[in-house]
Amino acid sequence: MAFDEMTEGGGGVRAPYEKIAQWLETVPREQLQQRRLEAELFFRRGGITFAVYGDAQGEERIIPYDIVPRVLARAEWEHLARGLEQRVRTLNLYLADVYGAQNAMRAGIVPPDLVWQNPAYRPEMAGIEVPHGVYVHIGGIDVVRVDADDFYVLEDNARTPSGVSYMLEGREISIRLMPELFGQHRVAPIENYANELLSSLRSVAPRNSAADPTVALLTPGQYNSAYYEHSFLADKMGVELVEGRDLLVKDEVVYMRTTEGPKRVDVIYRRVDDEFIDPLTFRPDSGLGVPGLFAAYAAGNVTLANAIGTGAADDKVIYSYIPELIRFYLGEEPILKNVPTWRCREPEALQYVLDHLAELVVKETHGSGGYGMLVGPHASSSEIETFRALLKANPEGYIAQPTLSLSTCPTFVESGIAPRHVDLRPFVLSGSDGVRIVPGGLTRVAMRDGSLVVNSSQGGGLKDTWVIE
Amino acid sequence: MLSRTADSLYWLSRYIERADYLARSIEAAQRLSSLPAAYAGEANEWESAVETAGSGEIFHEKHETATAETVAHFLICSPDNPSSIVKCFESARTNARAVRTALTSEMWDAINGAWLELQGLNPSKLTPRDWPKFLAWVKETSLRVDGSAYRTMLRNDAYWFSRLGVSVERADNTARLLDVKYHILLPENATVGGAIDYSQWAAILRAVSALTSYHWVYRESLKPWLIADLLILNTQMPRSLAACYHSIVANLDEIAGAYNRAGPAQRTARAIHRQLGATKIEQVFQSGLHEFITTFIADNNRVGSAISSQYLV
């Protein structure tokens, strides 16, 4: 039985949910339905959409928004935030180590071949000093809850985590649609996120840049699935939203083409993947990038956020070493738990996984978005056999974990209010002046009964996340 | 601002203005073609509607003759027509989406809202009976976009580039209308007068929503040279070439002032504006109405290219 964040699975109500529970009892279903339609309209009219690749139907879709907020008590959040900060500091130290001194490999914490063979490892970055030593300026750490006390980190996203615009817009909607509920709680504000992001980005400008550094947000363009978010963040920060063709590099300095001629850019919050960012250094067929950008970066004339090659820290095998790395770099005990992980590259682990496929979740080491995974307890025997063959053929490519009993939250679905599984992605900002986290994050919810897949590309919805005093 | 942003603002305004003009021109053609054959004149009104839209060539690749059905469908929504009303809205919305951060929420809402409504309207299924309502909706949309720009945008380069788009497109539309219809306004026709000519002349004015304005300005029955005066030289008439150039010069001057630098776009536009101000309608007819219009269209295109190379690339 999953831990329900409102009822704990029993008849009672946990303290943070007291007023929500009362509200849910009194508010008529038609009104909930009405408010949900209004929320959908708000998303649609605002063009707050995302695209699902390979879906010929709709170029733009909206994410189902569940109007019942997910609530965390302040103390729960403080604990979580401390753990997140510890985690992201470690990711930054690990990346500096991978591309620098390699202490953790020499000390035998992480097997060196795992580092070099990782497709996200960028040899071009070796020996390059990134401005202020920060690699993961924006980290999205996916956490799940299994009981009243324990949070597990499910995944670290150190490349270009998305979803923060939904966190912010979701809050705007709940303020607008449920003023009465809002009035009864003291909800910690998150509206300063863009401001914090801008401060963080400006703090990591190259040392040789102007006193008032220019920040730009680099997007692959309006056909990218997260384009709405790119434009939203650029707008809230008041920085230019640029595409590759808007930038040019001259004498290892980056400029943007403006109506008044070229203007220097110091910090680029890039939402273009490593492979596509500079056709001279990475994929030569990329039309999204900027020729010469990497040379300017290597010369220390521009900051890229996140740094190139951060994927070396967030695949699912490296994940399993993070608790050890926290102890190694910080000399602290991990605050947040890791899900026990079998690395199928290790023969005993592989054997165990093959013997227990029906109980385990098997994931591709480098997969994301909820694709290419096996959820043993929900899989048919033929799906299990398919994965058995895959695992035997390429054990390096997979890890396995026990199926966690993700917590549930009350959610408004066809049949009324029912518990649905949720996760949480808080966004952690790292600058030269420390770590910033706005209280909350993006709660994703599996809208189907019993489903554990919360990814929006697979029908997951989202909830506003409240941290209350 | 980014050159690409300026480019998108400029073009999204052009597309909305073009959609508005197409709607007016279909309305005028529909009205004229509903008259008895004698009044409607020898010329095929639908032929000239497709000509003034600048799409004659592409149209005739697919269609033998210009009829109400084929032309209206072509101008409203044909996938073969790269500047149909539907395509204009799509392009405007694509441009708006590319520069969302430069738009006010009201402007975005006007453009995105129209685009969403358009998905629901299914324009390819429209029958002649539905046209008036659809065309009214198109004009309303352009008013809403224009009005939200006017009321909500900061008065900075973003606003000036979007106004430039409106005026350059508008000048081009008025000039192309005159280019196709000039022969109706020539003096040899003027002596005839009567109901037939009246309908022809009124159709020109209707295509640019100027019939009522005409009466207020001249307090006269329709005279072809006054119609030409209204559409070319009269600065009170917002769609006249002179008024468009007044606005083009003003907006280019604002940009030059803000950037502290003027260039070929300002010089070319000012020269055209000066010339329009110094010309009398009699001179236009003496030296040839058609020649005048042809030259203007070329000049206006030169200004468009100058704006583009100076700011938008």
Side-chain angles (χ1 to χ4, degrees):
Chain A
M1 186 69 197
F3 170 73
D4 186 82
E5 297 190 9
M6 182 164 82
T7 64
E8 271 177 287
V13 172
R14 291 179 64 240
Y17 275 91
E18 261 171 28
K19 288 168 183 150
I20 302 261
Q22 282 168 16
W23 179 73
L24 285 174
E25 268 176 28
T26 51
V27 66
R29 290 293 169 268
E30 310 78 66
Q31 229 190 75
L32 287 180
Q33 176 63 12
Q34 181 57 35
R35 293 186 208 205
R36 183 171 64 188
L37 292 176
E38 276 176 51
E40 245 171 53
L41 189 69
F42 178 87
F43 277 109
R44 182 75 68 193
R45 290 227 47 125
I48 307 168
T49 57
F50 77 108
V52 174
Y53 297 124
D55 174 10
Q57 276 296 306
E59 176 190 315
E60 296 167 29
R61 282 208 223 157
I62 55 171
I63 297 186
Y65 171 77
D66 182 61
I67 59 175
V68 186
R70 190 242 190 118
V71 186
L72 296 172
R74 179 50 102 173
E76 294 175 323
W77 169 255
E78 295 296 347
H79 168 73
L80 188 54
R82 275 195 304 280
L84 293 167
E85 174 168 353
Q86 181 191 53
R87 189 112 186 160
V88 171
R89 278 170 59 209
T90 302
L91 292 176
N92 275 310
L93 290 167
Y94 174 67
L95 284 162
D97 200 14
V98 162
Y99 295 114
Q102 293 160 23
N103 292 326
M105 291 101 245
R106 269 201 281 265
I109 311 279
V110 179
D113 66 305
L114 264 186
V115 178
W116 321 132
Q117 284 168 16
N118 186 333
Y121 172 79
R122 301 284 164 212
E124 297 85 354
M125 286 295 289
I128 288 182
E129 252 184 66
V130 301
H132 310 276
V134 182
Y135 286 79
V136 184
H137 306 84
I138 300 103
I141 310 298
D142 293 347
V143 292
V144 295
R145 191 164 195 186
V146 296
D147 55 40
D149 305 314
D150 285 321
F151 289 96
Y152 282 85
V153 172
L154 204 55
E155 198 173 293
D156 304 296
N157 295 282
R159 303 175 202 204
T160 50
S162 63
V164 77
S165 60
Y166 295 107
M167 169 182 95
L168 297 167
E169 294 283 32
R171 173 62 53 85
E172 290 307 309
I173 293 174
S174 59
I175 289 175
R176 189 190 285 214
L177 294 185
M178 288 163 297
E180 77 281 20
L181 199 55
F182 231 88
Q184 294 168 12
H185 293 85
R186 285 185 169 274
V187 183
I190 53 173
E191 62 190 1
N192 55 330
Y193 176 81
N195 197 45
E196 301 287 334
L197 175 60
L198 184 60
S199 305
S200 215
L201 290 171
R202 287 169 62 109
S203 80
V204 291
R207 291 197 170 82
N208 67 5
S209 64
D212 181 21
T214 299
V215 178
L217 196 159
L218 176 64
T219 173
Q222 63 170 306
Y223 299 105
N224 182 269
S225 66
Y227 178 74
Y228 170 74
E229 175 155 309
H230 306 162
S231 68
F232 175 88
L233 288 174
D235 197 25
K236 296 292 174 211
M237 287 192 286
V239 305
E240 294 291 354
L241 177 64
V242 298
E243 295 179 15
R245 57 192 158 122
D246 297 320
L247 297 179
L248 66 120
V249 179
K250 207 175 153 230
D251 300 332
E252 298 184 335
V253 173
V254 185
Y255 299 90
M256 53 186 175
R257 297 174 214 271
T258 79
T259 50
E260 294 174 85
K263 180 168 189 233
R264 182 167 175 173
V265 179
D266 303 297
V267 181
I268 301 176
Y269 175 19
R270 52 99 177 196
R271 298 290 296 257
V272 172
D273 293 344
D274 287 357
E275 298 92 303
F276 295 97
I277 207 156
D278 180 351
L280 299 184
T281 308
F282 303 107
R283 277 179 63 159
D285 59 339
S286 168
L288 305 173
V290 186
L293 181 57
F294 189 79
Y297 182 52
N301 291 332
V302 67
T303 301
L304 296 179
N306 290 352
I308 304 279
T310 50
D314 75 356
D315 76 51
K316 295 186 174 68
V317 180
I318 296 302
Y319 161 89
S320 67
Y321 292 99
I322 300 285
E324 270 311 299
L325 290 170
I326 292 174
R327 293 184 191 102
F328 181 70
Y329 293 122
L330 304 178
E332 299 170 5
E333 272 309 298
I335 298 169
L336 302 176
K337 296 191 173 176
N338 241 40
V339 184
T341 301
W342 286 275
R343 305 164 190 135
C344 300
R345 65 197 300 270
E346 298 166 3
E348 315 85 76
L350 176 64
Q351 195 50 52
Y352 179 88
V353 172
L354 290 173
D355 292 343
H356 298 82
L357 273 178
E359 304 156 24
L360 299 173
V361 178
V362 183
K363 295 175 178 172
E364 287 178 3
T365 311
H366 304 295
S368 68
Y371 293 104
M373 61 190 264
L374 174 81
V375 182
H378 293 257
S380 68
S381 55
S382 78
E383 283 169 326
I384 288 182
E385 289 318 306
T386 309
F387 261 78
R388 188 184 304 283
L390 286 170
L391 276 168
K392 282 181 179 163
N394 176 25
E396 304 265 324
Y398 296 90
I399 57 101
Q401 294 170 335
T403 41
L404 282 193
S405 180
L406 266 56
S407 62
T408 56
C409 285
T411 301
F412 183 51
V413 292
E414 293 299 318
S415 57
I417 299 293
R420 289 289 182 268
H421 294 291
V422 294
D423 79 349
L424 176 66
R425 174 179 292 182
F427 295 89
V428 183
L429 303 174
S430 303
S432 65
D433 50 354
V435 171
R436 299 171 165 89
I437 315 176
V438 299
L442 182 69
T443 290
R444 298 186 296 178
V445 52
M447 301 300 281
R448 272 185 301 122
D449 190 15
S451 168
L452 294 168
V453 182
V454 296
N455 304 73
S456 50
S457 51
Q458 302 198 33
L462 56 92
K463 280 171 168 290
D464 189 12
T465 311
W466 292 5
V467 173
I468 60 168
E469 302 295 335
Chain B
M1 73 191 306
L2 284 181
S3 298
R4 182 173 54 81
T5 305
D7 187 65
S8 286
L9 286 166
Y10 174 81
W11 280 102
L12 89 85
S13 306
R14 283 197 74 155
Y15 283 122
I16 295 289
E17 180 66 21
R18 188 174 298 175
D20 179 81
Y21 171 73
L22 289 172
R24 287 171 203 283
S25 116
I26 296 170
E27 282 179 338
Q30 201 176 12
R31 191 179 173 103
L32 198 60
S33 63
S34 65
L35 296 176
Y39 290 84
E42 285 157 29
N44 176 345
E45 200 46 40
W46 292 105
E47 185 71 57
S48 67
V50 87
E51 286 298 332
T52 60
S55 326
E57 228 168 274
I58 324 172
F59 177 81
H60 284 295
E61 276 171 22
K62 296 275 168 185
H63 304 277
E64 205 52 18
T65 50
T67 65
E69 233 102 294
T70 55
V71 171
H73 177 263
F74 182 79
L75 293 181
I76 289 174
C77 62
S78 167
D80 302 323
N81 180 3
S83 50
S84 68
I85 290 177
V86 167
K87 200 79 198 155
C88 282
F89 277 137
E90 272 173 20
S91 305
R93 200 254 182 182
T94 304
N95 276 292
R97 201 159 176 262
V99 295
R100 273 199 69 150
T101 54
L103 299 180
T104 59
S105 56
E106 287 83 357
M107 258 190 105
W108 165 255
D109 194 50
I111 295 168
N112 190 48
W115 182 81
L116 289 171
E117 271 182 71
L118 197 60
Q119 311 303 304
L121 284 174
N122 202 355
S124 60
K125 294 264 155 50
L126 294 182
T127 64
R129 255 196 25 204
D130 307 318
W131 292 347
K133 202 169 151 214
F134 176 75
L135 297 172
W137 175 82
V138 171
K139 292 191 296 178
E140 238 169 66
T141 299
S142 82
L143 273 179
R144 209 159 66 220
V145 174
D146 215 42
S148 56
Y150 180 74
R151 290 183 64 122
T152 62
M153 283 182 84
L154 290 174
R155 279 355 184 215
N156 59 16
D157 43 2
Y159 180 71
W160 300 321
F161 279 112
S162 83
R163 298 323 292 173
L164 271 181
V166 173
S167 302
V168 172
E169 180 67 27
R170 204 172 251 200
D172 187 55
N173 289 333
T174 301
R176 274 190 291 114
L177 175 70
L178 288 167
D179 189 36
V180 174
K181 298 280 198 174
Y182 77 95
H183 54 90
I184 300 171
L185 299 176
L186 291 181
E188 51 265 38
N189 293 327
T191 50
V192 184
I196 296 172
D197 288 327
Y198 179 87
S199 304
Q200 296 285 328
W201 294 334
I204 298 179
L205 290 169
R206 277 210 181 87
V208 290
S209 299
L211 185 56
T212 312
S213 308
Y214 177 95
H215 294 296
W216 280 104
V217 172
Y218 299 104
R219 301 182 182 279
E220 268 237 45
S221 57
L222 297 191
K223 298 284 190 301
W225 58 91
L226 292 181
I227 292 172
D229 182 65
L230 184 69
L231 297 190
I232 297 172
L233 300 177
N234 194 299
T235 49
Q236 296 175 46
M237 164 63 198
R239 283 191 166 75
S240 77
L241 306 184
C244 290
Y245 264 82
H246 185 78
S247 154
I248 290 171
V249 166
N251 286 296
L252 281 172
D253 281 350
E254 294 276 16
I255 293 168
Y259 296 169
N260 241 328
R261 201 185 318 160
Q266 278 82 4
R267 284 196 293 279
T268 319
R270 260 186 232 137
I272 297 172
H273 185 226
R274 243 193 331 268
Q275 204 213 340
L276 286 169
T279 304
K280 296 266 172 290
I281 199 66
E282 294 75 19
Q283 295 167 306
V284 172
F285 278 96
Q286 272 156 23
S287 58
L289 178 59
H290 193 228
E291 290 69 19
F292 182 88
I293 296 299
T294 320
T295 312
F296 176 86
I297 292 176
D299 285 348
N300 191 44
N301 286 340
R302 281 222 320 278
V303 171
S305 329
I307 292 172
S308 181
S309 58
Q310 198 169 322
Y311 297 113
L312 309 182
V313 290

